[in-house]
Each structure stands twice: as C-alpha cells, then as structure tokens.
Amino acid sequence: MVEFLIVVAYTTTIVKKMSIKSLNPLTELGFTELESTVYLYLVENSPATPYRVAKAIGKPVANTYKAVEDLRQKGAVLVDETHNRLCQAIPTAELLGKLKEAYLARHEAATEILSKLKPSGDREKIFTLTSADQVLDICKKLLENAESVILADAFPGVVDILRPWLKAAAARGVTTVLQTYGPAEIEGVEVVPYQAAELSLRRWPGQWLIVVVDGAEYLFAYLNDDATVAHQAIWCGSAFLALPQHSNLAIAFRAALLEQLVKDSAPLSEMQQALRRTERWLVLGTRGYNELAAKFSYRQINK
C-alpha cells in the first residue's frame, strides 16, 4: 500500500509539471515560469493588481511584483501607475509579434558577428552523429553546398526527405545520382535502381543512407523505420577518405545501370552512350580530387 501511494504521489507530481509546461508556452520563448504564469493569468483577467494576481496563482506577493515588473520591461504588460498599479496584458498577437521582431534583430546581429569569424577544426576526422535530426541537418547542408557531383544511396523511407534537396542541387547544375530501392522520380536527378532491392529491404529493417559529395565529404547513416532515430551514423570531411568512397559508389552505380540495360536487352549503342554519360560521375575534377592534387602536388583538373 505504501509503495502504491508513493507511485500515485510521483505520478501526480509528473502530471502537474507537464500541465504547467503545457500551460506556459512562453517559457520556451525566454520567459520564466512565473512570468509566463502571470502573463497568462492577466490575458484572461486584466486589469488586476499584482497582489490579486499573486493570490490567484498561489505565488508569493513579492515574487509576483518582481515578475510583473520584468514583464513590463519586456513589453508584455502595461502597468497603471496612478491607480493601484493595475496591470493589463498586451494582446497575445502583439506580444508574439514583439518577440519575433526581437529574435530577428538578435539573429541578424549574431549573424553579422559570427560571419566574421574564421572557422577552425579538423575535418579530416570521422565524426559520430548521435541523432536522426543531426544526420538530416548535415545531409541537407552537404547537398546544399555541393559543387559538382552528388552520389546518394537511400532506402525508400529516406528518399522523400531527400527529394527537395536533391532536386534543388540538380537545378543548380550539380550532377546528381540516386540509387534507389523502390520506384522514384526526381526532376533533374538520374535514378539508378538497385538490382537486389527486395533482398536488401528484407535484410535491413530500417533506413540506410549514404551520401558522397564532390569526392570531398561523405555521410553514412542507418536510421530506424521512420527515420527518427539514428542507430549509427558518421560524417567525414576528409578528401583522402571521401574520394575512394566516391569512386566505389560511381563504379557500383555504373555497373547497376549497365546490368539493367543488359536485362532489358538494350542495344550496344545505348550501353556505350550510358558509359559516356556516366563519366561525369567519376572523381576526376571533383573538389576532393583537386584538394588531394594540391596537397600531393598532382595536376588539378577542371571538371
């Protein structure tokens, strides 16, 4: 019985905390919990004195007076100094507009300062990614910054996420190739069907994602079914490591394409045309190739 009461008490505490959070959305926008509670009370009960607010929300009077003053400083509350310090909450739409303007101003100021900093760090290392959001954020950045060639290998559940990013890259003139494990059409993107797709999908109950960009960076990730959890993922910005990955993918993609043409009994001329077209997928002239060429004093190539 004692254990049961302890569980009930604990559960009640958790529910109360969840309720407070759900009722105080302003705590996510820089307001303290008390400030948020005071403001929300005043939205539906203005005008009111700080004393009345304190009694209504069950908080110390002194703390409530301070919260009211802080809200006044933030432009969330108007205080009538001539009549018992009656407090009036400004309309929620007006407050949200003020908060948005303030955020954008801080964002602009921070952008100006941070843009002057020179990035440092060792991109040669292999970095472990711990969340699906982190994986997708880095993937989006890689695709947005691609200069010449994107090679991607993705299971169906990830393709829909990549679709707008791949389409945008192709629209910029980046050679974009996607190996898929199911039907997919993306404007400007050359889609290569994986020949053993059904077997791979049965074998791996999740979402594989491999992206190599410009022979200079790569991302490997294995996510859960709905791409919300990263089982394991890495990212590396080393051209020395990315270039072989690029080469391996390009050769594998060409082989898959030719295998499909053979299965379709395509004429020899079509196969030869495919070989010429897919030469753009290879590493020569990519950013990664030229980085290594400069590092080891080889001749760089303009692709």
Side-chain angles (χ1 to χ4, degrees), residues 190-210:
E190 179 138 12
V191 176
V192 178
Y194 185 65
Q195 297 304 306
E198 188 175 340
L199 175 62
S200 292
L201 293 175
R202 286 202 311 268
R203 182 174 293 165
W204 300 104
Q207 303 294 333
W208 273 105
L209 171 62
I210 299 173

Side-chain angles (χ1 to χ4, degrees), residues 48-97:
T49 64
Y51 180 84
R52 176 186 163 192
V53 174
K55 293 303 180 182
I57 65 176
K59 298 296 182 180
V61 174
N63 292 356
T64 304
Y65 267 91
K66 184 179 185 309
V68 167
E69 179 58 26
D70 292 339
L71 287 170
R72 188 175 70 84
Q73 294 292 332
K74 292 178 179 179
V77 166
L78 301 175
V79 179
D80 182 0
E81 299 289 357
T82 64
H83 193 274
N84 297 326
R85 291 184 58 83
L86 284 174
C87 305
Q88 173 80 43
I90 70 169
T92 55
E94 184 179 339
L95 175 62
L96 291 173

Side-chain angles (χ1 to χ4, degrees), residues 2-282:
V2 173
E3 288 82 1
F4 173 76
L5 291 176
I6 291 174
V7 170
V8 170
Y10 178 77
T11 304
T12 302
T13 301
I14 296 297
V15 169
K16 285 182 178 179
K17 287 183 177 179
M18 292 175 63
S19 297
I20 288 173
K21 185 174 182 180
S22 66
L23 289 173
N24 289 340
L26 295 178
T27 57
E28 302 296 327
L29 298 175
F31 284 58
T32 67
E33 185 177 301
L34 180 55
E35 290 170 356
S36 182
T37 302
V38 169
Y39 174 79
L40 293 177
Y41 176 81
L42 286 171
V43 167
E44 295 185 325
N45 298 277
S46 289
T49 64
Y51 180 84
R52 176 186 163 192
V53 174
K55 293 303 180 182
I57 65 176
K59 298 296 182 180
V61 174
N63 292 356
T64 304
Y65 267 91
K66 184 179 185 309
V68 167
E69 179 58 26
D70 292 339
L71 287 170
R72 188 175 70 84
Q73 294 292 332
K74 292 178 179 179
V77 166
L78 301 175
V79 179
D80 182 0
E81 299 289 357
T82 64
H83 193 274
N84 297 326
R85 291 184 58 83
L86 284 174
C87 305
Q88 173 80 43
I90 70 169
T92 55
E94 184 179 339
L95 175 62
L96 291 173
K98 286 177 178 290
L99 293 175
K100 183 178 180 180
E101 290 176 4
Y103 169 79
L104 291 176
R106 291 195 299 270
H107 182 277
E108 185 176 345
T111 300
E112 183 178 356
I113 294 171
L114 295 176
S115 64
K116 297 176 182 178
L117 301 179
K118 185 177 180 180
S120 64
D122 187 358
R123 295 168 62 88
E124 296 291 314
K125 290 183 170 57
I126 298 175
F127 298 93
T128 299
L129 309 179
T130 57
S131 72
D133 285 342
Q134 193 176 32
V135 168
L136 296 175
D137 284 345
I138 289 180
C139 181
K140 183 173 184 287
K141 185 182 300 183
L142 289 178
L143 299 180
E144 287 177 342
N145 294 334
E147 297 175 2
S148 57
V149 183
I150 294 170
L151 303 180
D153 180 296
F155 271 23
V158 185
V159 170
D160 286 339
I161 299 174
L162 302 184
R163 186 182 302 275
W165 308 336
L166 293 172
K167 181 179 177 181
R172 298 198 318 271
V174 177
T175 297
T176 308
V177 188
L178 172 66
Q179 180 165 268
T180 65
Y181 298 75
E185 289 186 11
I186 304 176
E187 185 178 347
V189 177
E190 179 138 12
V191 176
V192 178
Y194 185 65
Q195 297 304 306
E198 188 175 340
L199 175 62
S200 292
L201 293 175
R202 286 202 311 268
R203 182 174 293 165
W204 300 104
Q207 303 294 333
W208 273 105
L209 171 62
I210 299 173
V211 175
V212 184
V213 172
D214 298 333
E217 301 178 71
Y218 66 87
L219 168 70
F220 294 170
Y222 183 47
L223 310 176
N224 69 336
D225 281 336
D226 60 0
T228 58
V229 175
H231 294 311
Q232 190 164 357
I234 59 172
W235 165 76
C236 181
S238 166
F240 182 76
L241 297 176
L243 205 63
Q245 303 292 353
H246 183 120
S247 182
N248 290 338
L249 274 188
I251 292 171
F253 288 1
R254 292 181 98 194
L257 182 61
L258 290 174
E259 184 177 348
Q260 185 62 51
L261 291 173
V262 169
K263 287 181 177 179
D264 295 341
S265 300
L268 178 61
S269 59
E270 188 173 344
M271 296 184 188
Q272 292 173 332
Q273 183 182 22
L275 282 175
R276 289 192 296 271
R277 185 179 76 253
T278 58
E279 285 180 358
R280 295 179 302 165
W281 303 358
L282 302 179

